[in-house]
């Protein structure tokens, strides 16, 4: 059974309710129909009920009629959502007219349905930019108790099985924090190791990436990665982690043993933590496109409830897979 199939099987054994705010969009509806066929999640679609049902008929998606729909124009829970948003954001200066306006936005309603307990996770972003998906999630669901920063990891399924663990690797942060400081980078490393264990089902060996290996370069950016490695070790003493390492030293045994002799990670890393979002986002896309790797995610880590953001170039299968992952994160 491949990784995605085992994630789906796990979800099917214990389905959770996932809200899909882009409920009127073609790819979302096709994915929702497929998820109903595969029965690994319960769903809430947000959108106009009549539009959704009409489109489902037009595109021959017979199972959509069995899915719960939250129609902002008529759902009896709508006043509750407005009150909840006001309760959460009054201290930030939010007033009722603005709260009413925000609650017509499905990207606000999704996190509100989670916060109110009607759903346990969300997947969106097929039609919306990352920032627009994340901002309401950060404002409403917020970070998990021991976390101060949300980050985005990709599970990379690399064709060449000599890399990572049989070709399975985790890359982070590829989606959220443009320039994390040392403390944030350490948190990202610890969270990525958890994602590697819980979702990618691999025993994490974390490399803190840099343009320098063990002092080969001297720069404040190198110091940041060294300090982040120290903090991560303090936060999670059992974690297998090393840095700073260049990418080749992290993943190629012969180079790792030469540049970082004695390191238990160099040459064997399966979790790569990038020093900036530039590096992480560019890095995962190059591996995906040039090496033909499958990039699953981004899986958001550090949030109080799982909310995951799709790329706008995503396929129906990408949506289906990310919903399965989100169910697994909701446990
Ligand atoms: N973790 C946790 N909370 C956060 C984070 C974070 N990383 N960033 C912001 N927040 C919180 C803030 O504390 C704030 O909360 P509050 O209002 O309750 O005080 C709230 O979110 C809004 O914060 P702002 O600073 O106003 O948010 P900002 O407008 O800077 O947006 C965002 C944050 C959207 C995540 C921004 O950092 C961003 O756009 N990041 C890059 C996303 C991106 O474009 N990624 C690349 C594409 S993804 C891909 O290719 C797969």
């Amino acid at each position: 059974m491949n990784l995605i199939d085992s994630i789906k099987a796990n979800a099917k054994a214990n389905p959770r309710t996932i809200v899909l705010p882009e409920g009127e969009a073609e790819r979302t509806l096709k994915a929702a129909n497929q998820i109903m066929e595969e029965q690994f999640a319960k769903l809430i679609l947000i959108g106009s009920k009549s539009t959704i049902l009409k489109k489902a008929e037009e595109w021959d998606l017979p199972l959509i009629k069995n899915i719960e729909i939250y129609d902002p124009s008529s759902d009896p829970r709508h006043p509750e959502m407005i009150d909840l948003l006001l309760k959460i954001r009054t201290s930030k200066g939010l007033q009722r007219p603005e709260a009413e306006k925000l609650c017509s936005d499905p990207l606000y309603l999704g996190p509100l349905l989670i916060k109110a307990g009607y759903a346990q996770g969300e997947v969106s972003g097929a039609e919306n930019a990352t920032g627009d998906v994340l901002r309401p999630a950060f404002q409403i669901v917020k970070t998990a108790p021991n976390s101060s920063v949300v980050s985005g990891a990709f599970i990379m399924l690399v064709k060449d099985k000599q890399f990572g663990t049989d070709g399975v690797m985790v890359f982070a942060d590829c989606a959220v924090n443009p320039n994390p400081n040392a403390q944030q980078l350490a948190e990202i490393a610890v969270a990525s190791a958890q994602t590697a264990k819980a979702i990618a089902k691999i025993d994490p060996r974390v490399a803190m990436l840099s343009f320098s290996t063990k002092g080969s370069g001297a720069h404040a950016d190198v110091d940041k990665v060294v300090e982040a490695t120290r903090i991560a070790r303090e936060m999670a003493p059992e974690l297998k982690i090393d840095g700073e390492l260049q990418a080749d030293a992290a993943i190629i045994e012969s180079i790792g043993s030469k540049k970082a002799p004695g390191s238990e990670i160099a040459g064997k890393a399966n979790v790569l933590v990038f020093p900036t979002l530039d590096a992480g986002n560019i890095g995962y896309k190059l591996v995906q496109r040039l090496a033909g790797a499958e990039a699953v995610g981004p899986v958001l880590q550090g949030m109080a409830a799982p909310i995951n953001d799709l790329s706008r170039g995503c396929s129906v299968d990408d949506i289906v897979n990310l919903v399965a992952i989100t169910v697994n994160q909701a446990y």
Side-chain angles (χ1 to χ4, degrees):
M1 199 188 281
N2 71 25
L3 180 67
I4 291 296
D5 287 341
S6 81
I7 287 171
K8 282 183 181 175
N10 216 21
K12 194 169 177 173
N14 211 346
R16 292 286 192 271
T17 302
I18 306 301
V19 56
L20 304 177
E22 294 158 336
E24 295 177 14
E26 182 171 359
R27 281 173 299 173
T28 305
L29 284 177
K30 289 184 171 165
N33 196 70
Q34 193 176 319
I35 292 163
M36 294 307 280
E37 261 169 31
E38 297 188 38
Q39 295 184 343
F40 60 75
K42 296 173 204 157
L43 298 173
I44 301 177
L45 293 166
I46 300 180
S48 150
K49 193 166 191 165
S50 58
T51 305
I52 289 173
L53 295 177
K54 198 165 135 244
K55 287 183 172 179
E57 207 175 312
E58 193 181 314
W59 294 323
D60 192 22
L61 304 169
L63 301 178
I64 295 296
K65 62 176 180 307
N66 302 333
I67 299 178
E68 179 182 349
I69 296 173
Y70 182 105
D71 184 336
S73 70
S74 59
D75 197 286
R77 293 167 290 187
H78 205 62
E80 182 192 342
M81 295 302 118
I82 296 168
D83 288 346
L84 180 58
L85 182 59
L86 267 175
K87 190 172 154 208
I88 297 167
R89 302 297 293 176
T90 300
S91 62
K92 298 279 175 181
L94 186 70
Q95 308 267 321
R96 184 166 285 276
E98 176 70 1
E100 283 170 358
K101 199 164 138 227
L102 290 175
C103 281
S104 64
D105 180 349
L107 295 177
Y108 272 81
L109 285 169
L112 284 167
L113 285 168
I114 294 173
K115 190 77 181 172
Y118 295 112
Q120 286 82 49
E122 173 191 306
V123 171
S124 58
E127 314 290 327
N128 289 284
T130 297
D132 296 334
V133 173
L134 296 188
R135 208 168 291 108
F138 290 164
Q139 291 175 354
I140 295 162
V141 169
K142 300 183 193 278
T143 51
N146 294 324
S147 163
S148 73
V149 70
V150 173
S151 56
F154 276 90
I155 298 166
M156 303 296 294
L157 307 176
V158 183
K159 283 185 179 157
D160 189 338
K161 306 279 183 220
Q162 69 167 310
F163 293 117
T165 301
D166 280 336
V168 180
M169 303 186 80
V170 171
F171 287 13
D173 174 8
C174 304
V176 184
N177 302 280
N179 201 0
N181 62 29
Q183 172 68 36
Q184 292 170 325
L185 203 53
E187 273 195 40
I188 291 167
V190 174
S192 305
Q194 278 161 3
T195 296
K197 237 188 288 181
I199 309 292
K201 310 288 183 205
I202 56 176
D203 182 23
R205 298 185 298 270
V206 183
M208 303 295 277
L209 296 186
S210 167
F211 62 81
S212 162
T213 300
K214 301 289 176 183
S216 65
H219 191 276
D221 292 347
V222 177
D223 298 341
K224 176 180 90 168
V225 177
V226 172
E227 175 64 359
T229 309
R230 188 193 65 73
I231 299 170
R233 285 193 174 118
E234 220 171 72
M235 288 170 69
E238 73 295 344
L239 190 61
K240 291 181 198 139
I241 182 168
D242 202 6
E244 89 288 5
L245 294 169
Q246 286 161 288
D248 56 355
I251 61 171
I252 312 268
E253 293 248 31
S254 59
I255 299 176
S257 59
K258 204 179 292 170
K259 291 189 174 180
S263 167
E264 65 165 344
I265 300 300
K268 304 182 200 68
N270 56 14
V271 177
L272 302 186
V273 176
F274 293 84
T276 65
L277 181 56
D278 272 341
N281 189 269
I282 294 167
Y284 103 80
K285 285 183 197 282
L286 288 180
V287 174
Q288 180 187 32
R289 300 293 169 182
L290 297 181
E294 197 179 330
V296 181
V299 177
L300 288 188
Q301 352 177 93
M303 194 97 78
I307 293 187
N308 285 316
D309 168 51
L310 294 152
S311 156
R312 276 172 292 173
C314 71
S315 65
V316 171
D317 278 344
D318 291 335
I319 303 177
V320 171
N321 294 346
L322 201 54
V323 169
I325 288 174
T326 309
V327 172
N328 278 260
Q329 284 178 289
Y331 298 143

